[in-house]
Short mmCIF file of all heavy atoms in Angstrom, two decimals:
data_model
loop_
_atom_site.label_atom_id
_atom_site.label_comp_id
_atom_site.label_asym_id
_atom_site.label_seq_id
_atom_site.Cartn_x
_atom_site.Cartn_y
_atom_site.Cartn_z
N GLU A 1 23.38 13.13 -18.91
CA GLU A 1 22.81 11.81 -18.74
C GLU A 1 23.70 10.96 -17.85
O GLU A 1 23.24 10.40 -16.88
CB GLU A 1 22.64 11.10 -20.09
CG GLU A 1 21.82 11.86 -21.12
CD GLU A 1 22.61 12.95 -21.84
OE1 GLU A 1 23.84 12.87 -21.93
OE2 GLU A 1 21.98 13.90 -22.28
N ARG A 2 24.98 10.91 -18.21
CA ARG A 2 25.90 10.10 -17.41
C ARG A 2 26.01 10.64 -15.99
O ARG A 2 26.04 9.88 -15.03
CB ARG A 2 27.29 10.07 -18.08
CG ARG A 2 28.28 9.23 -17.29
CD ARG A 2 29.54 8.93 -18.05
NE ARG A 2 29.34 8.10 -19.23
CZ ARG A 2 29.08 6.79 -19.21
NH1 ARG A 2 28.99 6.16 -18.07
NH2 ARG A 2 28.93 6.11 -20.31
N TRP A 3 26.02 11.96 -15.86
CA TRP A 3 26.13 12.56 -14.54
C TRP A 3 24.92 12.19 -13.68
O TRP A 3 25.06 11.90 -12.49
CB TRP A 3 26.25 14.08 -14.65
CG TRP A 3 26.43 14.71 -13.31
CD1 TRP A 3 27.61 14.90 -12.66
CD2 TRP A 3 25.41 15.20 -12.44
NE1 TRP A 3 27.38 15.48 -11.43
CE2 TRP A 3 26.02 15.67 -11.28
CE3 TRP A 3 24.03 15.28 -12.53
CZ2 TRP A 3 25.31 16.21 -10.22
CZ3 TRP A 3 23.32 15.81 -11.47
CH2 TRP A 3 23.96 16.27 -10.34
N LEU A 4 23.74 12.21 -14.26
CA LEU A 4 22.54 11.86 -13.51
C LEU A 4 22.58 10.41 -13.05
O LEU A 4 22.19 10.09 -11.92
CB LEU A 4 21.29 12.13 -14.35
CG LEU A 4 20.98 13.59 -14.62
CD1 LEU A 4 19.93 13.73 -15.72
CD2 LEU A 4 20.52 14.28 -13.36
N ALA A 5 23.04 9.52 -13.93
CA ALA A 5 23.15 8.11 -13.55
C ALA A 5 24.19 7.94 -12.45
O ALA A 5 23.98 7.18 -11.50
CB ALA A 5 23.50 7.28 -14.77
N GLN A 6 25.29 8.65 -12.57
CA GLN A 6 26.34 8.57 -11.56
C GLN A 6 25.82 9.10 -10.21
O GLN A 6 26.09 8.53 -9.16
CB GLN A 6 27.54 9.38 -12.02
CG GLN A 6 28.81 9.06 -11.32
CD GLN A 6 29.99 9.70 -12.03
OE1 GLN A 6 29.86 10.69 -12.73
NE2 GLN A 6 31.16 9.11 -11.85
N ARG A 7 25.04 10.17 -10.27
CA ARG A 7 24.43 10.71 -9.06
C ARG A 7 23.53 9.66 -8.41
O ARG A 7 23.53 9.48 -7.19
CB ARG A 7 23.64 11.97 -9.40
CG ARG A 7 23.00 12.63 -8.22
CD ARG A 7 22.36 13.96 -8.65
NE ARG A 7 21.85 14.66 -7.51
CZ ARG A 7 20.59 14.58 -7.08
NH1 ARG A 7 19.71 13.85 -7.76
NH2 ARG A 7 20.19 15.24 -6.01
N GLY A 8 22.75 8.96 -9.23
CA GLY A 8 21.89 7.90 -8.73
C GLY A 8 22.67 6.81 -8.03
O GLY A 8 22.28 6.32 -6.97
N GLU A 9 23.81 6.43 -8.62
CA GLU A 9 24.66 5.40 -8.01
C GLU A 9 25.17 5.86 -6.65
O GLU A 9 25.17 5.10 -5.68
CB GLU A 9 25.84 5.06 -8.93
CG GLU A 9 25.46 4.39 -10.23
CD GLU A 9 24.95 2.97 -10.07
OE1 GLU A 9 25.12 2.36 -8.99
OE2 GLU A 9 24.37 2.46 -11.04
N ILE A 10 25.62 7.09 -6.58
CA ILE A 10 26.14 7.64 -5.32
C ILE A 10 25.05 7.67 -4.26
O ILE A 10 25.26 7.27 -3.11
CB ILE A 10 26.75 9.03 -5.55
CG1 ILE A 10 28.02 8.91 -6.40
CG2 ILE A 10 27.04 9.73 -4.22
CD1 ILE A 10 28.52 10.22 -6.96
N LEU A 11 23.87 8.14 -4.64
CA LEU A 11 22.76 8.20 -3.69
C LEU A 11 22.36 6.80 -3.22
O LEU A 11 22.04 6.59 -2.05
CB LEU A 11 21.57 8.92 -4.32
CG LEU A 11 21.76 10.42 -4.51
CD1 LEU A 11 20.69 10.98 -5.44
CD2 LEU A 11 21.73 11.14 -3.18
N LEU A 12 22.38 5.85 -4.14
CA LEU A 12 22.03 4.48 -3.79
C LEU A 12 23.02 3.92 -2.78
O LEU A 12 22.62 3.32 -1.78
CB LEU A 12 22.01 3.62 -5.06
CG LEU A 12 21.37 2.26 -4.98
CD1 LEU A 12 19.94 2.35 -4.47
CD2 LEU A 12 21.41 1.59 -6.34
N ARG A 13 24.30 4.15 -3.00
CA ARG A 13 25.33 3.68 -2.06
C ARG A 13 25.20 4.36 -0.70
O ARG A 13 25.57 3.79 0.32
CB ARG A 13 26.72 3.92 -2.63
CG ARG A 13 27.07 2.96 -3.72
CD ARG A 13 28.52 3.09 -4.14
NE ARG A 13 28.63 2.61 -5.50
CZ ARG A 13 29.05 3.32 -6.52
NH1 ARG A 13 29.45 4.56 -6.36
NH2 ARG A 13 29.09 2.81 -7.73
N ALA A 14 24.68 5.58 -0.71
CA ALA A 14 24.50 6.32 0.54
C ALA A 14 23.21 5.93 1.27
O ALA A 14 22.90 6.48 2.32
CB ALA A 14 24.50 7.83 0.25
N GLY A 15 22.47 4.99 0.69
CA GLY A 15 21.23 4.53 1.33
C GLY A 15 20.06 5.46 1.11
O GLY A 15 19.07 5.40 1.84
N ARG A 16 20.15 6.32 0.11
CA ARG A 16 19.08 7.29 -0.17
C ARG A 16 18.32 6.84 -1.43
O ARG A 16 18.39 7.46 -2.49
CB ARG A 16 19.69 8.67 -0.32
CG ARG A 16 20.33 9.13 0.99
CD ARG A 16 21.30 10.25 0.86
NE ARG A 16 20.71 11.47 0.33
CZ ARG A 16 21.40 12.59 0.14
NH1 ARG A 16 22.69 12.65 0.45
NH2 ARG A 16 20.81 13.65 -0.35
N ALA A 17 17.60 5.73 -1.30
CA ALA A 17 16.97 5.07 -2.43
C ALA A 17 15.95 5.95 -3.15
O ALA A 17 15.88 5.94 -4.38
CB ALA A 17 16.31 3.77 -1.97
N ALA A 18 15.15 6.70 -2.42
CA ALA A 18 14.13 7.54 -3.07
C ALA A 18 14.78 8.60 -3.95
O ALA A 18 14.33 8.85 -5.07
CB ALA A 18 13.24 8.19 -2.02
N GLU A 19 15.86 9.20 -3.46
CA GLU A 19 16.56 10.21 -4.25
C GLU A 19 17.29 9.57 -5.43
O GLU A 19 17.36 10.14 -6.52
CB GLU A 19 17.55 10.98 -3.37
CG GLU A 19 16.86 11.86 -2.36
CD GLU A 19 17.85 12.42 -1.36
OE1 GLU A 19 18.42 13.49 -1.66
OE2 GLU A 19 18.05 11.78 -0.32
N ALA A 20 17.81 8.36 -5.22
CA ALA A 20 18.47 7.63 -6.30
C ALA A 20 17.47 7.32 -7.40
O ALA A 20 17.77 7.49 -8.59
CB ALA A 20 19.10 6.35 -5.77
N LEU A 21 16.28 6.88 -7.01
CA LEU A 21 15.24 6.59 -7.98
C LEU A 21 14.92 7.82 -8.81
O LEU A 21 14.81 7.76 -10.04
CB LEU A 21 13.98 6.08 -7.26
CG LEU A 21 12.78 5.75 -8.12
CD1 LEU A 21 13.10 4.69 -9.16
CD2 LEU A 21 11.61 5.31 -7.24
N SER A 22 14.81 8.94 -8.17
CA SER A 22 14.54 10.20 -8.87
C SER A 22 15.66 10.53 -9.86
O SER A 22 15.41 10.92 -11.00
CB SER A 22 14.37 11.33 -7.86
OG SER A 22 14.16 12.54 -8.51
N ALA A 23 16.90 10.35 -9.45
CA ALA A 23 18.04 10.64 -10.33
C ALA A 23 18.05 9.70 -11.53
O ALA A 23 18.30 10.14 -12.67
CB ALA A 23 19.35 10.51 -9.56
N PHE A 24 17.76 8.42 -11.32
CA PHE A 24 17.72 7.48 -12.43
C PHE A 24 16.56 7.79 -13.38
O PHE A 24 16.69 7.65 -14.60
CB PHE A 24 17.65 6.04 -11.94
CG PHE A 24 18.95 5.54 -11.38
CD1 PHE A 24 19.05 5.14 -10.07
CD2 PHE A 24 20.09 5.47 -12.17
CE1 PHE A 24 20.25 4.68 -9.54
CE2 PHE A 24 21.30 5.02 -11.67
CZ PHE A 24 21.37 4.62 -10.35
N ARG A 25 15.44 8.23 -12.84
CA ARG A 25 14.32 8.63 -13.70
C ARG A 25 14.70 9.86 -14.53
O ARG A 25 14.35 9.95 -15.71
CB ARG A 25 13.08 8.91 -12.86
CG ARG A 25 12.43 7.65 -12.36
CD ARG A 25 11.24 7.93 -11.50
NE ARG A 25 10.57 6.70 -11.10
CZ ARG A 25 9.74 6.60 -10.08
NH1 ARG A 25 9.47 7.67 -9.34
NH2 ARG A 25 9.18 5.45 -9.78
N GLU A 26 15.39 10.80 -13.93
CA GLU A 26 15.86 11.98 -14.68
C GLU A 26 16.84 11.56 -15.77
O GLU A 26 16.79 12.09 -16.88
CB GLU A 26 16.54 12.97 -13.73
CG GLU A 26 15.60 13.73 -12.84
CD GLU A 26 16.37 14.68 -11.94
OE1 GLU A 26 17.11 15.53 -12.47
OE2 GLU A 26 16.22 14.58 -10.71
N ALA A 27 17.71 10.61 -15.45
CA ALA A 27 18.66 10.11 -16.44
C ALA A 27 17.93 9.47 -17.61
O ALA A 27 18.28 9.70 -18.78
CB ALA A 27 19.62 9.11 -15.80
N ARG A 28 16.89 8.70 -17.31
CA ARG A 28 16.11 8.06 -18.39
C ARG A 28 15.47 9.13 -19.28
O ARG A 28 15.49 9.03 -20.50
CB ARG A 28 15.04 7.15 -17.83
CG ARG A 28 14.01 6.84 -18.92
CD ARG A 28 13.27 5.62 -18.85
NE ARG A 28 14.17 4.50 -18.95
CZ ARG A 28 13.84 3.28 -18.61
NH1 ARG A 28 12.65 3.03 -18.15
NH2 ARG A 28 14.68 2.29 -18.72
N ARG A 29 14.88 10.16 -18.67
CA ARG A 29 14.26 11.24 -19.46
C ARG A 29 15.30 11.93 -20.34
O ARG A 29 15.03 12.24 -21.49
CB ARG A 29 13.57 12.25 -18.55
CG ARG A 29 12.21 11.79 -18.05
CD ARG A 29 11.42 12.92 -17.39
NE ARG A 29 12.06 13.41 -16.18
CZ ARG A 29 11.92 12.88 -14.97
NH1 ARG A 29 11.17 11.81 -14.81
NH2 ARG A 29 12.51 13.41 -13.92
N ALA A 30 16.47 12.17 -19.77
CA ALA A 30 17.54 12.82 -20.54
C ALA A 30 17.98 11.92 -21.70
O ALA A 30 18.18 12.41 -22.82
CB ALA A 30 18.72 13.14 -19.64
N LEU A 31 18.11 10.63 -21.46
CA LEU A 31 18.50 9.71 -22.52
C LEU A 31 17.43 9.64 -23.60
O LEU A 31 17.75 9.60 -24.79
CB LEU A 31 18.76 8.32 -21.94
CG LEU A 31 20.04 8.17 -21.12
CD1 LEU A 31 20.00 6.89 -20.30
CD2 LEU A 31 21.25 8.21 -22.03
N ASP A 32 16.17 9.63 -23.18
CA ASP A 32 15.07 9.59 -24.15
C ASP A 32 15.05 10.83 -25.04
O ASP A 32 14.56 10.78 -26.15
CB ASP A 32 13.72 9.45 -23.43
CG ASP A 32 13.52 8.06 -22.84
OD1 ASP A 32 14.26 7.13 -23.21
OD2 ASP A 32 12.61 7.92 -22.00
N GLY A 33 15.58 11.93 -24.54
CA GLY A 33 15.58 13.18 -25.30
C GLY A 33 16.75 13.34 -26.25
O GLY A 33 16.81 14.31 -26.99
N LEU A 34 17.68 12.39 -26.23
CA LEU A 34 18.83 12.48 -27.12
C LEU A 34 18.43 12.25 -28.57
O LEU A 34 17.52 11.45 -28.85
CB LEU A 34 19.89 11.44 -26.74
CG LEU A 34 20.69 11.68 -25.48
CD1 LEU A 34 21.58 10.47 -25.21
CD2 LEU A 34 21.52 12.94 -25.59
N PRO A 35 19.11 12.89 -29.50
CA PRO A 35 18.86 12.62 -30.92
C PRO A 35 19.19 11.15 -31.25
O PRO A 35 20.06 10.55 -30.62
CB PRO A 35 19.83 13.55 -31.66
CG PRO A 35 20.28 14.55 -30.66
CD PRO A 35 20.13 13.92 -29.30
N ALA A 36 18.52 10.61 -32.23
CA ALA A 36 18.69 9.20 -32.60
C ALA A 36 20.14 8.87 -32.91
O ALA A 36 20.62 7.78 -32.56
CB ALA A 36 17.81 8.87 -33.80
N ARG A 37 20.87 9.78 -33.52
CA ARG A 37 22.26 9.49 -33.88
C ARG A 37 23.13 9.26 -32.65
O ARG A 37 24.14 8.57 -32.71
CB ARG A 37 22.84 10.57 -34.76
CG ARG A 37 23.02 11.91 -34.10
CD ARG A 37 23.58 12.95 -35.08
NE ARG A 37 23.80 14.21 -34.43
CZ ARG A 37 22.88 15.14 -34.21
NH1 ARG A 37 21.64 14.93 -34.63
NH2 ARG A 37 23.17 16.27 -33.61
N HIS A 38 22.74 9.82 -31.52
CA HIS A 38 23.49 9.62 -30.28
C HIS A 38 23.01 8.39 -29.53
O HIS A 38 23.80 7.71 -28.87
CB HIS A 38 23.37 10.83 -29.36
CG HIS A 38 24.02 12.06 -29.91
ND1 HIS A 38 25.37 12.17 -30.08
CD2 HIS A 38 23.48 13.22 -30.35
CE1 HIS A 38 25.65 13.35 -30.60
NE2 HIS A 38 24.52 14.01 -30.77
N ARG A 39 21.73 8.11 -29.62
CA ARG A 39 21.16 6.99 -28.87
C ARG A 39 21.67 5.65 -29.33
O ARG A 39 21.65 4.69 -28.58
CB ARG A 39 19.63 7.02 -28.96
CG ARG A 39 19.09 8.19 -28.16
CD ARG A 39 17.66 8.08 -27.89
NE ARG A 39 17.41 6.97 -26.96
CZ ARG A 39 16.21 6.55 -26.65
NH1 ARG A 39 15.16 7.12 -27.17
NH2 ARG A 39 16.05 5.56 -25.81
N GLY A 40 22.14 5.58 -30.56
CA GLY A 40 22.63 4.31 -31.08
C GLY A 40 24.08 4.02 -30.75
O GLY A 40 24.58 2.93 -31.06
N THR A 41 24.78 4.93 -30.10
CA THR A 41 26.19 4.69 -29.80
C THR A 41 26.31 3.68 -28.66
O THR A 41 25.42 3.56 -27.81
CB THR A 41 26.91 5.99 -29.41
OG1 THR A 41 26.37 6.48 -28.19
CG2 THR A 41 26.81 7.05 -30.50
N SER A 42 27.42 2.97 -28.65
CA SER A 42 27.60 1.91 -27.66
C SER A 42 27.59 2.45 -26.23
O SER A 42 27.05 1.82 -25.32
CB SER A 42 28.88 1.13 -27.93
OG SER A 42 30.00 1.98 -27.89
N LEU A 43 28.16 3.63 -26.02
CA LEU A 43 28.18 4.21 -24.67
C LEU A 43 26.78 4.53 -24.18
O LEU A 43 26.43 4.28 -23.03
CB LEU A 43 29.05 5.46 -24.64
CG LEU A 43 30.55 5.23 -24.76
CD1 LEU A 43 31.29 6.57 -24.85
CD2 LEU A 43 31.06 4.41 -23.60
N VAL A 44 25.96 5.10 -25.06
CA VAL A 44 24.60 5.45 -24.67
C VAL A 44 23.76 4.20 -24.46
O VAL A 44 22.98 4.11 -23.50
CB VAL A 44 23.96 6.42 -25.69
CG1 VAL A 44 22.49 6.63 -25.40
CG2 VAL A 44 24.70 7.74 -25.70
N VAL A 45 23.93 3.21 -25.32
CA VAL A 45 23.18 1.96 -25.17
C VAL A 45 23.52 1.31 -23.83
O VAL A 45 22.62 0.86 -23.11
CB VAL A 45 23.48 1.00 -26.35
CG1 VAL A 45 22.94 -0.40 -26.08
CG2 VAL A 45 22.89 1.56 -27.64
N GLU A 46 24.79 1.28 -23.48
CA GLU A 46 25.20 0.70 -22.19
C GLU A 46 24.65 1.51 -21.03
O GLU A 46 24.17 0.95 -20.03
CB GLU A 46 26.72 0.61 -22.09
CG GLU A 46 27.20 -0.04 -20.83
CD GLU A 46 26.67 -1.45 -20.60
OE1 GLU A 46 26.48 -2.19 -21.59
OE2 GLU A 46 26.42 -1.81 -19.43
N LEU A 47 24.67 2.81 -21.13
CA LEU A 47 24.12 3.66 -20.08
C LEU A 47 22.62 3.44 -19.94
O LEU A 47 22.10 3.36 -18.82
CB LEU A 47 24.43 5.14 -20.36
CG LEU A 47 24.00 6.13 -19.30
CD1 LEU A 47 24.62 5.80 -17.94
CD2 LEU A 47 24.38 7.55 -19.73
N GLU A 48 21.92 3.29 -21.06
CA GLU A 48 20.47 3.01 -21.02
C GLU A 48 20.21 1.70 -20.29
O GLU A 48 19.28 1.61 -19.49
CB GLU A 48 19.89 2.96 -22.43
CG GLU A 48 19.74 4.31 -23.07
CD GLU A 48 19.24 4.23 -24.50
OE1 GLU A 48 19.57 3.26 -25.22
OE2 GLU A 48 18.51 5.16 -24.90
N ARG A 49 21.02 0.68 -20.56
CA ARG A 49 20.86 -0.62 -19.88
C ARG A 49 21.10 -0.49 -18.38
O ARG A 49 20.36 -1.05 -17.58
CB ARG A 49 21.82 -1.64 -20.47
CG ARG A 49 21.41 -2.13 -21.81
CD ARG A 49 22.33 -3.24 -22.28
NE ARG A 49 21.99 -3.61 -23.64
CZ ARG A 49 22.86 -3.84 -24.60
NH1 ARG A 49 24.16 -3.77 -24.35
NH2 ARG A 49 22.46 -4.17 -25.81
N THR A 50 22.13 0.24 -18.03
CA THR A 50 22.45 0.43 -16.61
C THR A 50 21.32 1.15 -15.89
O THR A 50 20.89 0.75 -14.81
CB THR A 50 23.77 1.22 -16.46
OG1 THR A 50 24.82 0.48 -17.08
CG2 THR A 50 24.10 1.48 -15.00
N VAL A 51 20.83 2.22 -16.50
CA VAL A 51 19.73 2.99 -15.91
C VAL A 51 18.48 2.12 -15.80
O VAL A 51 17.80 2.11 -14.76
CB VAL A 51 19.47 4.28 -16.71
CG1 VAL A 51 18.17 4.94 -16.27
CG2 VAL A 51 20.64 5.25 -16.56
N ALA A 52 18.18 1.35 -16.83
CA ALA A 52 17.01 0.46 -16.80
C ALA A 52 17.13 -0.57 -15.68
O ALA A 52 16.16 -0.85 -14.97
CB ALA A 52 16.84 -0.24 -18.15
N ARG A 53 18.34 -1.12 -15.51
CA ARG A 53 18.57 -2.10 -14.45
C ARG A 53 18.34 -1.50 -13.07
O ARG A 53 17.67 -2.09 -12.22
CB ARG A 53 20.01 -2.63 -14.55
CG ARG A 53 20.07 -4.10 -14.80
CD ARG A 53 21.49 -4.63 -14.86
NE ARG A 53 21.93 -4.59 -16.26
CZ ARG A 53 22.96 -3.89 -16.72
NH1 ARG A 53 23.71 -3.20 -15.92
NH2 ARG A 53 23.27 -3.91 -17.99
N ARG A 54 18.90 -0.33 -12.86
CA ARG A 54 18.75 0.33 -11.56
C ARG A 54 17.30 0.69 -11.29
O ARG A 54 16.80 0.54 -10.18
CB ARG A 54 19.63 1.57 -11.47
CG ARG A 54 21.09 1.25 -11.37
CD ARG A 54 21.35 0.45 -10.12
NE ARG A 54 22.78 0.35 -9.88
CZ ARG A 54 23.33 -0.59 -9.15
NH1 ARG A 54 22.59 -1.50 -8.57
NH2 ARG A 54 24.63 -0.61 -8.98
N LEU A 55 16.60 1.20 -12.32
CA LEU A 55 15.18 1.53 -12.14
C LEU A 55 14.39 0.28 -11.79
O LEU A 55 13.52 0.31 -10.92
CB LEU A 55 14.63 2.20 -13.40
CG LEU A 55 15.02 3.65 -13.60
CD1 LEU A 55 14.61 4.13 -14.99
CD2 LEU A 55 14.42 4.54 -12.53
N ALA A 56 14.69 -0.82 -12.46
CA ALA A 56 13.98 -2.07 -12.19
C ALA A 56 14.22 -2.52 -10.75
O ALA A 56 13.28 -2.93 -10.06
CB ALA A 56 14.44 -3.15 -13.16
N GLU A 57 15.45 -2.42 -10.31
CA GLU A 57 15.77 -2.81 -8.93
C GLU A 57 15.02 -1.94 -7.93
O GLU A 57 14.46 -2.43 -6.95
CB GLU A 57 17.27 -2.69 -8.68
CG GLU A 57 18.10 -3.70 -9.44
CD GLU A 57 19.59 -3.36 -9.43
OE1 GLU A 57 19.98 -2.35 -8.82
OE2 GLU A 57 20.35 -4.12 -10.05
N LEU A 58 15.03 -0.64 -8.18
CA LEU A 58 14.42 0.30 -7.23
C LEU A 58 12.90 0.28 -7.29
O LEU A 58 12.24 0.58 -6.30
CB LEU A 58 14.95 1.71 -7.48
CG LEU A 58 16.42 1.91 -7.12
CD1 LEU A 58 16.94 3.21 -7.70
CD2 LEU A 58 16.60 1.87 -5.61
N GLU A 59 12.35 -0.04 -8.45
CA GLU A 59 10.89 -0.07 -8.60
C GLU A 59 10.32 -1.47 -8.38
O GLU A 59 9.12 -1.66 -8.45
CB GLU A 59 10.49 0.45 -9.98
CG GLU A 59 10.80 1.92 -10.17
CD GLU A 59 10.58 2.41 -11.59
OE1 GLU A 59 10.56 1.58 -12.53
OE2 GLU A 59 10.42 3.63 -11.76
N GLY A 60 11.19 -2.44 -8.17
CA GLY A 60 10.74 -3.80 -7.91
C GLY A 60 10.24 -4.54 -9.13
O GLY A 60 9.43 -5.45 -9.02
N GLN A 61 10.73 -4.18 -10.32
CA GLN A 61 10.33 -4.85 -11.55
C GLN A 61 11.38 -5.88 -11.95
O GLN A 61 12.54 -5.73 -11.59
CB GLN A 61 10.21 -3.85 -12.70
CG GLN A 61 9.22 -2.76 -12.48
CD GLN A 61 9.29 -1.74 -13.61
OE1 GLN A 61 9.89 -1.98 -14.64
NE2 GLN A 61 8.69 -0.60 -13.38
N PRO A 62 10.99 -6.88 -12.72
CA PRO A 62 12.01 -7.79 -13.26
C PRO A 62 12.97 -7.02 -14.16
O PRO A 62 12.54 -6.19 -14.96
CB PRO A 62 11.19 -8.80 -14.08
CG PRO A 62 9.79 -8.66 -13.61
CD PRO A 62 9.64 -7.26 -13.08
N VAL A 63 14.24 -7.28 -14.05
CA VAL A 63 15.26 -6.53 -14.79
C VAL A 63 15.07 -6.70 -16.29
O VAL A 63 15.15 -5.75 -17.05
CB VAL A 63 16.69 -6.95 -14.36
CG1 VAL A 63 17.74 -6.33 -15.25
CG2 VAL A 63 16.91 -6.57 -12.91
N ALA A 64 14.81 -7.91 -16.77
CA ALA A 64 14.67 -8.15 -18.22
C ALA A 64 13.54 -7.32 -18.81
O ALA A 64 13.67 -6.77 -19.90
CB ALA A 64 14.43 -9.63 -18.49
N ALA A 65 12.45 -7.15 -18.09
CA ALA A 65 11.33 -6.36 -18.59
C ALA A 65 11.71 -4.89 -18.69
O ALA A 65 11.34 -4.20 -19.64
CB ALA A 65 10.11 -6.52 -17.68
N ALA A 66 12.45 -4.40 -17.74
CA ALA A 66 12.85 -2.98 -17.74
C ALA A 66 13.82 -2.68 -18.88
O ALA A 66 13.78 -1.62 -19.46
CB ALA A 66 13.50 -2.62 -16.41
N GLU A 67 14.67 -3.64 -19.23
CA GLU A 67 15.64 -3.41 -20.29
C GLU A 67 14.98 -3.36 -21.67
O GLU A 67 15.55 -2.83 -22.59
CB GLU A 67 16.73 -4.49 -20.25
CG GLU A 67 17.66 -4.30 -19.07
CD GLU A 67 18.76 -5.34 -19.02
OE1 GLU A 67 18.66 -6.37 -19.72
OE2 GLU A 67 19.72 -5.11 -18.29
N ARG A 68 13.79 -3.92 -21.79
CA ARG A 68 13.10 -3.90 -23.09
C ARG A 68 12.43 -2.58 -23.37
O ARG A 68 11.98 -2.32 -24.47
CB ARG A 68 12.07 -5.03 -23.13
CG ARG A 68 12.68 -6.38 -23.30
CD ARG A 68 11.62 -7.40 -23.65
NE ARG A 68 10.66 -7.56 -22.57
CZ ARG A 68 10.72 -8.51 -21.65
NH1 ARG A 68 11.72 -9.36 -21.64
NH2 ARG A 68 9.80 -8.60 -20.72
N ARG A 69 12.32 -1.70 -22.39
CA ARG A 69 11.64 -0.40 -22.57
C ARG A 69 12.32 0.44 -23.61
O ARG A 69 13.42 0.50 -23.85
CB ARG A 69 11.63 0.39 -21.28
CG ARG A 69 10.63 -0.13 -20.32
CD ARG A 69 10.61 0.81 -19.15
NE ARG A 69 9.79 0.26 -18.12
CZ ARG A 69 9.62 0.85 -16.98
NH1 ARG A 69 10.18 2.00 -16.72
NH2 ARG A 69 8.87 0.32 -16.08
#
């Protein structure tokens, strides 16, 4: 999960927005697949927020709405 988000950040900095969007979507799917006991940890919650923010930016959605997903 973290690696996919990190990949998205790298791609975004490289100006490869479409590939970054794909990486962030993969990260979200991976996070969604985690067991509940892992999803509640502070590191995973923060990673979920970061991924939601990046997806909102790349998809043109308001950030607050994306974080509520």
Side-chain angles (χ1 to χ4, degrees):
E1 305 80 25
R2 180 167 295 286
W3 183 87
L4 291 167
Q6 198 168 25
R7 181 174 185 266
E9 293 290 345
I10 292 166
L11 289 166
L12 194 56
R13 286 188 204 120
R16 296 162 61 180
E19 291 170 88
L21 179 58
S22 178
F24 286 119
R25 285 178 176 161
E26 287 180 57
R28 164 153 297 163
R29 281 192 296 276
L31 288 165
D32 288 345
L34 287 175
R37 67 181 182 277
H38 294 293
R39 290 196 68 187
T41 65
S42 59
L43 289 174
V44 171
V45 168
E46 183 58 34
L47 184 57
E48 286 177 326
R49 285 185 185 137
T50 300
V51 169
R53 241 181 268 119
R54 289 299 191 202
L55 283 171
E57 291 167 1
L58 291 166
E59 293 173 339
Q61 300 174 14
V63 172
E67 288 181 345
R68 286 193 296 264
R69 284 186 188 179

